[in-house]
Amino acid sequence: MELIIATNNAGKVREYKEILTPLGYQVFSQSEKGVHLEVEETGKTFQENALLKARAVYDIAHCPVLADDSGLEVAALGGEPGIYSARYKGLATEHSRRMAILDGLRDKPDRSARFICCICYLDADGQPHLFTGVWPGHIALQEEGSNGFGYDPIFIAEDADGRTTASLPLAFKETHSHRARAVGMLMAWMGREKGR
Ligand code: ITT
């Protein structure tokens, strides 16, 4: 089955291709399908934003679409950056956004955090199906590693060996992350649908 990933984030596209291609999906980014748009994320939740992004691409392509709205929630920062993870404090680079988190946590004993990924899958009829994966962990004392993207160099997952996600092999993230967990829920749902 062909599936378009409604995103402009190259890191997300790479992860979805790695996870879904072995499962038999032909995965395309929106730009590979000639869809060039940047959706304004006006929603108040991950779910609302995922639906906005998926719907915008579906309205052009009219085939199954998967969008994800994702981000990092840091407990001692009141859940920030949350849905604003891609534009935290208006900072332009991933490095500066990571530094803002590290600065915000200076002198804070609680470094717990979690990644959230909300997938919105629009089926061939444009019906939405939502799945949310959560990956608990904590924030490292400094950046480490160069794999992955976004906040991976400062995130240490609860189920990892103490290294940041960016320091671990990519295969670990592909099988354990918030995104992998949301995809797992999507696949379980698809399996049930097939059996109906
Ligand atoms: P699209 O909206 O085009 O999909 P985006 O990067 O703007 O791309 P989001 O609005 O969902 O995507 O913002 C997600 C941000 O949260 C992302 O830019 C990263 O900073 C962070 N993030 C999400 N998933 C992550 C992951 O697996 N590893 C590291 N950081 C992640």
Side-chain angles (χ1 to χ4, degrees), residues 158-176:
E158 195 179 80
D159 51 1
D161 60 3
R163 285 180 286 169
T164 65
T165 304
S167 306
L168 294 167
L170 287 169
F172 183 83
K173 189 177 180 197
E174 281 151 21
T175 48
H176 291 74

Side-chain angles (χ1 to χ4, degrees), residues 84-115:
Y84 304 108
S85 292
R87 44 204 152 123
Y88 187 43
K89 292 186 185 288
L91 294 163
T93 65
E94 291 186 333
H95 170 72
S96 57
R97 293 192 284 271
R98 292 193 292 266
M99 293 313 288
I101 304 273
L102 294 178
D103 281 352
L105 286 183
R106 218 182 297 139
D107 305 327
K108 296 242 179 7
D110 178 10
R111 302 185 75 85
S112 60
R114 59 187 196 166
F115 269 130

Side-chain angles (χ1 to χ4, degrees), residues 15 46 69-74 81-82 85 98 101 112-118 132-139 148-158 164-166 173 176-179 181-182:
E15 286 184 16
F46 290 109
D69 200 55
S70 45
L72 180 71
E73 292 183 341
V74 181
S85 292
R98 292 193 292 266
I101 304 273
S112 60
R114 59 187 196 166
F115 269 130
I116 310 279
C117 173
C118 175
T132 302
V134 179
W135 200 20
H138 66 274
I139 301 299
F149 65 95
Y151 297 98
D152 286 337
I154 59 166
F155 183 75
I156 299 175
E158 195 179 80
T164 65
T165 304
K173 189 177 180 197
H176 291 74
S177 75
H178 49 316
R179 191 157 292 107
R181 290 172 188 208

Side-chain angles (χ1 to χ4, degrees), residues 44-64:
K44 298 226 166 358
T45 61
F46 290 109
Q47 285 78 5
E48 284 175 20
N49 284 332
L51 181 57
L52 282 174
K53 291 188 267 192
R55 181 69 68 199
V57 173
Y58 181 87
D59 285 346
I60 295 170
H62 301 289
C63 70

